[in-house]
Amino acid sequence: PRVAVIVVAAGSGTRLRARAPKAFVAVGAESMLCHALHGIAAVSSENPLQTVIVVPPGYEDAALDDARAALPSSEDLVSVTPGGATRQESVAAGLARIAPQVEIVLVHDAARALTPPEVYARVIAAVKGGAAGVVPVVPVVDTIKRVEAGRVVAAVDRSVLSAAQTPQGFDRAVLDAAYAEASDDFTDDAALVAAAGHDVVAVEGDPMAFKITTPADLDRAHALVAPRER
Ligand code: C5P
């Protein structure tokens, strides 16, 4: 395939206070990872994607079971690899597994388990259109303050701010080179690619691509999938 997706699922999910690593926590009948892979299956039905799942060491078999359930027709395009201590290390581990012919790499958080296929389509189209990096964004709903030592030191103009989601998409050569050079820690791949001097463009994200982080987020995800499973 010309397009690959790295699904980062190696986080511990401390803030979720669950027993399993976050991506293996159930939302309804299936794990978060499984839900994320269903989204990828919907995208892959037109153009098969190479899928690299990055998991906590020891969860390789669990991830393969989820892949068999969600991506039965493209099992030979799936690989599973252990991640690292940071998200950035986990993405780097996934990048090492990308097939030589791949030209576009998407990086997706398993924790954004309910991301609709349309977001993937917009990101892939923008990279195909020539963008070095693409990030789906949604408007910021809260009023944002800069706070230092308990004091509000500045109000920030919300109208110029956006919240970044995933999947983020990149020209494969750009992402490889940016990762090879990166020394600092970045919270997302778009920041790492921008720091390497590349233009990153924004496309419309989706409220359903929210990241499941806290127990309240998990409750919301449960409520959203319950009607589908009935
Ligand atoms: O912790 P946070 O929710 O920001 O993590 C975002 C995504 O990165 C999650 O899907 C998580 O599994 C993944 N991650 C990872 N390896 C780490 C830390 C986070 O794959 N060491």
Side-chain angles (χ1 to χ4, degrees):
R2 289 184 51 218
V3 184
V5 57
I6 299 170
V7 183
V8 283
S12 60
T14 316
R15 289 166 290 183
L16 201 55
R17 298 194 294 270
R19 249 176 267 130
K22 180 159 78 173
F24 296 90
V25 170
V27 178
E30 295 178 321
S31 71
M32 254 183 240
L33 173 62
C34 206
H35 286 287
L37 294 174
H38 280 302
I40 289 167
V43 179
S44 289
S45 62
E46 312 241 320
N47 288 302
L49 302 181
Q50 186 198 352
T51 305
V52 178
I53 308 169
V54 187
V55 298
Y59 282 82
E60 292 86 347
D61 288 343
L64 277 174
D65 287 344
D66 282 346
R68 277 189 204 105
L71 297 163
S73 58
S74 42
E75 214 180 298
D76 51 334
L77 293 176
V78 176
S79 51
V80 178
T81 195
T86 64
R87 184 183 182 283
Q88 198 166 317
E89 285 176 27
S90 293
V91 175
L95 261 183
R97 303 294 295 272
I98 300 295
Q101 73 274 24
V102 166
E103 294 165 359
I104 294 173
V105 175
L106 311 179
V107 183
H108 185 55
D109 293 334
R112 299 184 188 274
L114 306 183
T115 302
E118 293 74 26
V119 181
Y120 286 86
R122 288 196 282 273
V123 171
I124 293 170
V127 185
K128 284 189 174 162
V134 180
V135 51
V137 300
V138 289
V140 171
V141 292
D142 292 309
T143 291
I144 306 291
K145 307 287 185 200
R146 185 183 295 277
V147 177
E148 286 170 15
R151 295 195 51 195
V152 174
V153 295
V156 183
D157 178 8
R158 183 172 68 186
S159 68
V160 299
L161 298 179
S162 292
Q165 300 184 323
T166 74
Q168 298 183 359
F170 304 92
D171 174 86
R172 193 258 177 90
V174 165
L175 191 62
D176 274 344
Y179 261 87
E181 287 165 18
S183 46
D184 295 342
D185 263 342
F186 296 92
T187 52
D188 73 355
D189 309 289
L192 187 149
V193 163
H198 299 283
D199 279 342
V200 175
V201 305
V203 297
E204 192 187 348
D206 192 293
M208 286 293 283
F210 70 100
K211 189 171 71 174
I212 302 170
T213 304
T214 63
D217 297 330
L218 188 60
D219 287 346
R220 181 172 162 220
H222 272 293
L224 286 164
V225 303
R228 292 190 205 169
E229 290 181 351
R230 237 181 267 132

